[in-house]
Amino acid sequence: MIQLFLSKPNWKADDGDSDSPKLIISLLNRLESFLWSLIISGGRSEARLWLCNTISTINSLSPEQQRDIFVNLLRSKQQLQNHDLASQLLQVFFQKSPHKAGRVLAKKSYKLVKFFEGNPTRIMQWFSNFSDGSGLGHQKGAKALSQFAFVNRDICWEELEWKGKHGQSPAMVATKPHYFLDLDVQRTVENFLDNVPEFWSSNEFAESVRDGEILFIDNKFFIDFFVDLMYKEDSRDVWEVINEFLMEESFSSLSQHLLIILEERYLCSFLKLLCKYINASMEPKDFGSSSSWLEIILSRHRDYDSIDQLLLLNAVINQRRQLLGFVHDDEYQEEQAKIKDIVSQICTTSLKVNNLALIVKECLKLDTTEAMKLMGLHSWVIYYRLSEECQTPASWESILMSNGIQFQKSDKYALLHYDGLSEESGSDLDARSSTRSRHRKKKKSKKKRKRNYDDDDDGSFDNELLDFDTSNGRQSLQSRAVSWLLSIDGFSAKWTSADLPDLLSSHCLSIWMKCLFDKWNNVA
């Protein structure tokens, strides 16, 4: 039996065995040290990625608040010297809102002289898109070049270089625009770079870059270009479009793209900024969400010089399966044995404590982070034990019934009987009658298969069915194929046996957290 502590806590009950709750907490602290060593054994980067993913699920911030957080981080002293965050943001910005960046380029088009100087490849990519007369018209820089040349032919027509023996007159090209295909684009643009400065600040050229398509010719150049505008020139135009983007983009997307590149000290700075916008009196409505625990901690603690506790707590709450994978790694057999022993001791001791209030009372003596860490560790113990011990539908039925969870289950992939019906069972109230019914059906179907075997020459097909029906393999298949409806979510969803460890441990943590939070509020 595994004690899930789902019953309503009795705060008025006699403390009884007061040593057991203290022993559980002591064992949880020992478990913490072993799990932490596993988390950091392969480097902290994966654990940081997990935490960043959890941060990204916070949805209590307004667009203005998320903008302020990221702008403050971008303008921090660290970022004035290290522009990694700004560079990453600009890369996302260019991909998702090139037209916003194009607005800035259109205003500062004269600065793009450096983009083309001494670079024939860029010149050809942007200015060689002349029309062949098929009706599409000139595109990109070619359109700007032709329009400017016609309007300002008195000052720049002679700068046009032609591939033929003689040049083309404005009148001839006006009637036959496809003649621009004979233009020596590289030499012409180089002439404009040297002799026609008016072109680079013209409306024609500005309009050609307004849609931001030019950004994709050389992404790195424009990232560096915008970084200089942000930090060397403190360009109001750039910060304006950055502010717009930071308000329009979701907090989830921004966090997933930006936080993972931060060094830990900068991530700590981000958390400090985030704390300012998490309401200190907030009351989480969904204790089962992946970020509820984090928002509670951020609302009560405002200073983060280390994220070790958050990395551990996030791992045991949101990455249970991955953490169990670390435990099972052959490289950590010694730690695996010790963790298994500690989990066994915690579960055995928990059977002596039939009142959640006794454990919560011990947690109330600790600060918020420490108390929630113990709750998270205990929920991981539940996950570990359920994953290891519950391998058959019968074992799951025992766990659910012993903890007062009503259920319905069905085996969608059970062997079909000859009447075309599959085995099904209802709640624990119907389990016995359903079991007797299944036994009668099994005996009847076995007789039919036996008769088929006698009529078959080699009997191989039916012999396999008989073996399958009585082998451990069938139990394994049944365990995987059974679907469960549980009272904890109002029988609203079907769960496989593989889902149950995470589902139940998350449900336990949600119940415990609500109990702990309610008690904190009452004390306050």
Side-chain angles (χ1 to χ4, degrees), residues 261-409:
I261 70 163
L262 294 178
E263 296 179 18
E264 281 199 17
R265 54 178 174 161
Y266 300 146
L267 185 57
C268 288
S269 299
F270 175 84
L271 290 173
K272 290 177 183 178
L273 291 169
L274 185 58
C275 287
K276 297 178 181 179
Y277 297 96
I278 301 294
N279 188 352
S281 61
M282 67 170 295
E283 296 189 14
K285 298 179 181 179
D286 182 10
F287 287 89
S289 71
S290 60
S291 64
S292 59
W293 64 271
L294 179 60
E295 292 188 73
I296 293 172
I297 291 177
L298 293 176
S299 70
R300 292 169 180 251
H301 292 268
R302 303 284 169 169
D303 192 22
Y304 287 93
D305 295 322
S306 170
I307 58 172
D308 288 359
Q309 294 277 42
L310 296 183
L311 292 177
L312 174 70
L313 191 49
N314 184 61
V316 297
I317 291 178
N318 291 325
Q319 305 294 333
R320 298 186 183 102
R321 190 185 303 273
Q322 290 86 341
L323 196 52
L324 185 59
F326 287 170
V327 173
H328 285 158
D329 194 312
D330 291 339
E331 185 178 348
Y332 308 112
Q333 290 185 358
E334 182 178 350
E335 290 86 350
Q336 180 180 347
K338 292 178 180 178
I339 289 173
K340 183 175 182 179
D341 179 60
I342 293 174
V343 168
S344 178
Q345 291 184 60
I346 292 174
C347 291
T348 300
T349 307
S350 296
L351 296 177
K352 302 176 183 178
V353 183
N354 57 7
N355 186 359
L356 176 61
L358 300 180
I359 297 179
V360 172
K361 285 179 181 179
E362 293 298 321
C363 290
L364 289 172
K365 301 174 184 178
L366 309 170
D367 65 32
T368 305
T369 303
E370 190 69 20
M372 294 178 65
K373 180 186 68 178
L374 291 173
M375 291 288 190
L377 285 165
H378 201 167
S379 72
W380 188 84
V381 168
I382 298 296
Y383 175 82
Y384 178 99
R385 192 73 166 192
L386 293 175
S387 300
E388 296 293 302
E389 289 198 357
C390 297
Q391 302 296 326
T392 65
S395 61
W396 280 115
E397 289 184 24
S398 175
I399 290 294
L400 296 172
M401 287 189 288
S402 63
N403 284 279
I405 301 175
Q406 295 180 332
F407 64 89
Q408 297 172 0
K409 73 181 182 72

